[in-house]
Amino acid sequence: GLTDVNFVHVTKTVNSHQLHIFIALSVVMIDIPLLTYFAFWYLGNYYYNIQNKNAAIASGGSDFAMTIATAQLAVGVIYALFLWVAPDARKPPKITVSDFFLMIPAGVCSAGAHAASVFSLAAGGVAFGQIVKAAEPAFAAVIGTFVYGKKISIYKWLCLIPIIGGVCLAALKQNADGSIEMDFTMGGLIGALIANAFAAFKGNESKKLMETPGIKDRIGGVGNQFAIMTIIALLTSIPLVFIKEGPRINEFITAFQTKPAVYQNVILSGLTFYGYNELATMTLTKISAVTNSVANTAKRVVVIVGSAIVFNESISGLKAIGCAVCIGGVFLDSIIDDLMKGKPKKV
């Protein structure tokens, strides 16, 4: 038989062996490509916000927001076209002319959401702009119900209370003497609200588009869908540049040619914008709805906190509470129907 010492030695050896097997299996079970998607999606979103703000600062604030937004789309389109013509990179779509026309409403809304977002983040603080943009579910609920006739559960409507309340709190600042005052720029607020409205319309139009028989196969994947939307958004934005900023466009061109901070941040923000959006789309098709909700919530926190640190924007006190309440409400809104299954209540 085994002595006590030998028995302990054998037991430790077996347990150690089992632990090594468990660790090896755990490593195998981790989806490395998915983790990579997440990492680059978060990093891309974070760096886009930094580069976008730096491009605006270097070129004169929000004066050239439309031009910067359009230039970013142009960079994305160049990248998309390169993927289509490069050997073995990505098969181009096989859409018809009528398919393209069906995609125009979603593409135009995409242009509006992007331009308004760039204006918001150029005109005001990045952290506050992102907090307001987190309130997009409120716009999705109202526009989905009253424009597209969608039915939304009473639980989702109730989730709008913390979302809207959180944004209102985030817009306030408590002074040392205890008094409370507004703490935001009007341009930053209005831009983010308009971006939310366009994003809500875009979501509904994209869903309608994907219900068209056969169009998903002709587009050939989410990468191609985003590429086509970006092309339409660029074509929509170019005339608006000349309408809004045309008389001063030469000032931006001069700054672009002579200031490294302008051309570097415009080009890099265009690449990161296109890249993180495509990665987000690819990532979200591989995970469950709840994981999607957690991922989006975590992404917002990373961008808000990270940009606040980089640009020395305060998110303490009421702003921090408002941010937490708003993002908590957004997360709850995204999972509430799953939590309340079996208790369907539509309004």
Side-chain angles (χ1 to χ4, degrees):
L2 290 170
T3 65
D4 289 344
V5 174
N6 286 337
F7 180 76
V8 170
H9 174 72
V10 171
T11 305
K12 282 184 176 178
T13 304
V14 171
N15 287 343
S16 175
H17 183 61
Q18 289 174 334
L19 179 63
H20 287 146
I21 291 173
F22 176 75
I23 292 170
L25 286 172
S26 298
V27 170
V28 170
M29 289 171 68
I30 292 171
D31 191 335
I32 301 299
L34 184 59
L35 286 179
T36 306
Y37 283 165
F38 268 115
F40 282 102
W41 169 26
Y42 280 31
L43 279 173
N45 197 311
Y46 168 76
Y47 278 109
Y48 165 72
N49 280 277
I50 305 302
Q51 293 156 353
N52 179 66
K53 182 68 173 180
N54 283 334
I57 292 169
S59 61
S62 59
D63 290 352
F64 295 108
M66 192 70 224
T67 305
I68 291 170
T70 305
Q72 289 169 348
L73 293 173
V75 171
V77 167
I78 291 167
Y79 174 73
L81 294 176
F82 168 76
L83 289 182
W84 285 340
V85 299
D88 302 320
R90 177 178 288 163
K91 289 183 180 179
K94 297 177 180 177
I95 59 170
T96 63
V97 174
S98 60
D99 287 339
F100 185 80
F101 278 106
L102 284 174
M103 298 177 82
I104 287 176
V108 170
C109 292
S110 181
H114 179 57
S117 178
V118 171
F119 177 80
S120 168
L121 302 180
V126 176
F128 177 72
Q130 288 293 342
I131 294 169
V132 179
K133 283 183 67 186
E136 187 186 316
F139 288 78
V142 173
I143 289 169
T145 300
F146 295 105
V147 178
Y148 293 92
K150 290 188 174 181
K151 298 293 183 184
I152 294 172
S153 69
I154 188 68
Y155 308 112
K156 275 188 173 287
W157 283 110
L158 290 173
C159 286
L160 299 187
I161 296 170
I163 293 173
I164 296 168
V167 171
C168 293
L169 271 177
L172 301 175
K173 177 177 73 173
Q174 188 167 17
N175 297 316
D177 62 0
S179 62
I180 294 174
E181 65 180 12
M182 296 290 188
D183 182 35
F184 64 91
T185 63
M186 192 56 71
L189 175 65
I190 292 173
L193 294 176
I194 293 172
N196 282 348
F198 271 117
F201 277 109
K202 175 191 166 187
N204 283 287
E205 289 297 332
S206 295
K207 190 169 182 183
K208 268 173 56 181
L209 176 71
M210 288 298 106
E211 290 168 357
T212 306
I215 197 166
K216 194 179 289 186
D217 295 329
R218 293 193 292 276
I219 289 172
V222 292
N224 280 346
Q225 183 183 345
F226 184 66
I228 298 166
M229 290 297 172
T230 306
I231 291 169
I232 295 170
L234 175 62
L235 295 174
T236 305
S237 301
I238 290 171
L240 296 176
V241 170
F242 292 99
I243 292 168
K244 186 176 180 297
E245 296 160 9
R248 298 182 59 194
I249 197 70
N250 285 333
E251 291 178 42
F252 181 82
I253 293 170
T254 302
F256 188 87
Q257 292 172 335
T258 58
K259 293 182 180 179
V262 176
Y263 69 74
Q264 287 175 3
N265 282 297
V266 167
I267 293 170
L268 288 173
S269 62
L271 287 171
T272 50
F273 174 76
Y274 192 92
Y276 93 72
N277 272 290
E278 188 166 312
L279 274 171
T281 310
M282 292 164 70
T283 304
L284 300 181
T285 58
K286 294 176 177 289
I287 58 179
S288 69
V290 174
T291 309
N292 176 353
S293 305
V294 175
N296 265 314
T297 303
K299 179 210 73 176
R300 287 189 178 98
V301 173
V302 168
V303 172
I304 290 168
V305 174
S307 58
I309 292 169
V310 170
F311 296 110
N312 197 27
E313 297 172 4
S314 171
I315 50 168
S316 58
L318 289 173
K319 201 174 289 292
I321 295 169
C323 175
V325 170
C326 175
I327 289 177
V330 170
F331 177 63
L332 187 61
D333 173 85
S334 60
I335 63 168
I336 192 68
D337 282 345
D338 288 327
L339 290 176
M340 306 304 290
K341 269 181 181 171
K343 306 176 185 177
K345 287 186 181 179
K346 304 285 184 181
V347 291

